[in-house]
Amino acid sequence: MNIIASAVLLTVGHPAASSRFFTSHLGFREVLVADDVIHLSRDDAATDLVVRRRDRCDTQPHPGQQPAAHGEVMVSFTVTDLAAEHERLRREGARISMPLRQEPWGEWVLQLLDPNGVVIQIVEWVPPVGA
């Protein structure tokens, strides 16, 4: 298998609201806008995002399929200089659901919440001293 690109599909109530969040705060751009779907991309190594409108059919699982639990999906991005990103996001008024903190294993993390309730985790790995 030769994977040449990747995307995460987010099924939401209001795709335009999610698109505005990702383009305003996280540097994505819209590369395709159709009736109920918006494809977002960046010029770096970030995975593309596709936000699609949830419809009535999405609420009923297919035979043999379990419905997804609310809040089960989290989009995670690894960045450099997370402290500066945290300040920028705070100034811009992004909805920060978990402020910047350091985990015991050395990773710095913060979480955002888009208007549709999608959790976005932004992390920076800082190796322990001596590693």
Side-chain angles (χ1 to χ4, degrees):
M1 173 175 18
N2 180 29
I3 298 173
I4 60 168
S6 59
V8 172
L9 174 67
L10 303 170
T11 303
V12 299
H14 303 285
S18 286
S19 179
R20 278 190 301 276
F21 180 87
F22 283 101
T23 57
S24 297
H25 298 300
L26 300 177
F28 282 83
R29 70 181 185 295
E30 294 179 340
V31 293
L32 173 101
V33 179
D35 289 338
D36 290 329
V37 66
I38 302 171
H39 186 131
L40 303 164
S41 189
R42 288 180 46 107
D43 291 330
D44 56 15
T47 298
D48 286 3
L49 301 174
V50 177
V51 288
R52 179 180 73 115
R53 181 175 309 283
R54 179 181 301 114
D55 63 20
R56 288 177 290 128
C57 297
D58 292 334
T59 61
Q60 299 299 320
H62 297 286
Q65 179 184 20
Q66 297 295 319
H70 180 70
E72 187 174 287
V73 174
M74 177 186 296
V75 179
S76 182
F77 300 110
T78 302
V79 301
T80 58
D81 200 0
L82 184 55
E85 293 300 324
H86 176 254
E87 274 306 304
R88 178 187 61 80
L89 291 163
R90 189 187 56 72
R91 279 192 316 273
E92 291 176 357
R95 190 170 165 194
I96 297 173
S97 57
M98 184 181 77
L100 183 64
R101 71 175 195 207
Q102 187 172 28
E103 299 291 0
W105 51 88
E107 176 181 75
W108 283 90
V109 62
L110 72 89
Q111 287 183 359
L112 308 171
L113 203 57
D114 99 328
N116 285 291
V118 175
V119 177
I120 299 96
Q121 180 175 324
I122 305 177
V123 301
E124 179 179 12
W125 172 246
V126 179
V129 175

